[in-house]
Amino acid sequence: MRWEELDQQPCSLARTLAVIGDKWTLLVLRDCFLGVRRFDEFEQRLGITRHLLAGRLKKLVEHGVLTKVAYQQRPLREEYRLTEKGLDLHPAMLALVSWGDRHMADERGAPVLHVHKGCGKVMHPVIVCSECGETVGARDVRVEAGAGWAEEAQLPRQA
């Protein structure tokens, strides 16, 4: 499987990685969820080249994850905002952060806490079954081919 062909795979993860699967794109998205919207803010916070940043932002806009919104007319200046499609990445981002807090934090602990606005408590993401509400872990799920699965492809054996 070639990196530039990921978006053609019969796999939702591969197709997702084709859009957001590099480190700079994930860090751009992190900053979006932290409220960063302007090109120069991204550039300053991330310390990457303008060319690299422009490419990542362009791809996110092309795929409808971000939208450009004018905040000044003369000269025209635009900022980047998460779309509904982009906001739908929040659970995945929280899951990655939670994993990092658990396995990559130093002795001081998590660098950022996520506080639920509704109850005011520090929260941790939990995956639950949409049908019964039970907490779901890796060993609690079976994978079956869906309508979008290519018949010539084979599902891997599950542990």
Side-chain angles (χ1 to χ4, degrees), residues 8 20 27-28 35 44 50-51 57 59 67 82-83 90 103 141 155 159:
Q8 317 218 349
I20 65 164
L27 292 172
V28 165
Q44 181 181 11
R50 295 179 68 77
H51 176 74
L57 290 168
K59 187 173 199 173
T67 189
L82 289 159
T83 62
H90 191 250
H103 299 287
V141 177
L155 283 174

Side-chain angles (χ1 to χ4, degrees), residues 1-9 14 17-19 59:
M1 175 180 336
R2 298 174 51 114
W3 181 256
E4 58 274 358
E5 296 171 354
L6 280 181
D7 62 341
Q8 317 218 349
Q9 295 297 311
L17 289 175
V19 177
K59 187 173 199 173

Side-chain angles (χ1 to χ4, degrees), residues 89-102 112-116 121-128 135-136:
L89 286 166
H90 191 250
M93 298 296 288
L94 269 182
L96 288 171
V97 169
S98 181
W99 185 90
D101 288 347
R102 184 171 180 179
V112 175
L113 301 177
H114 292 88
V115 179
H116 180 226
K121 306 263 183 178
V122 174
M123 53 84 51
H124 304 280
V126 177
I127 300 199
V128 298
T135 302
V136 177

Side-chain angles (χ1 to χ4, degrees), residues 23 38 48 58-59 81 83 85 104 107 110 126 136:
K23 62 187 176 186
R38 297 185 180 171
I48 62 176
K58 180 180 178 189
K59 187 173 199 173
R81 294 192 182 188
T83 62
K85 187 175 182 178
M104 304 303 292
E107 63 280 348
V126 177
V136 177

Side-chain angles (χ1 to χ4, degrees), residues 131-142:
E131 302 306 308
C132 71
E134 278 189 34
T135 302
V136 177
R139 292 182 178 95
D140 303 317
V141 177
R142 180 181 70 248

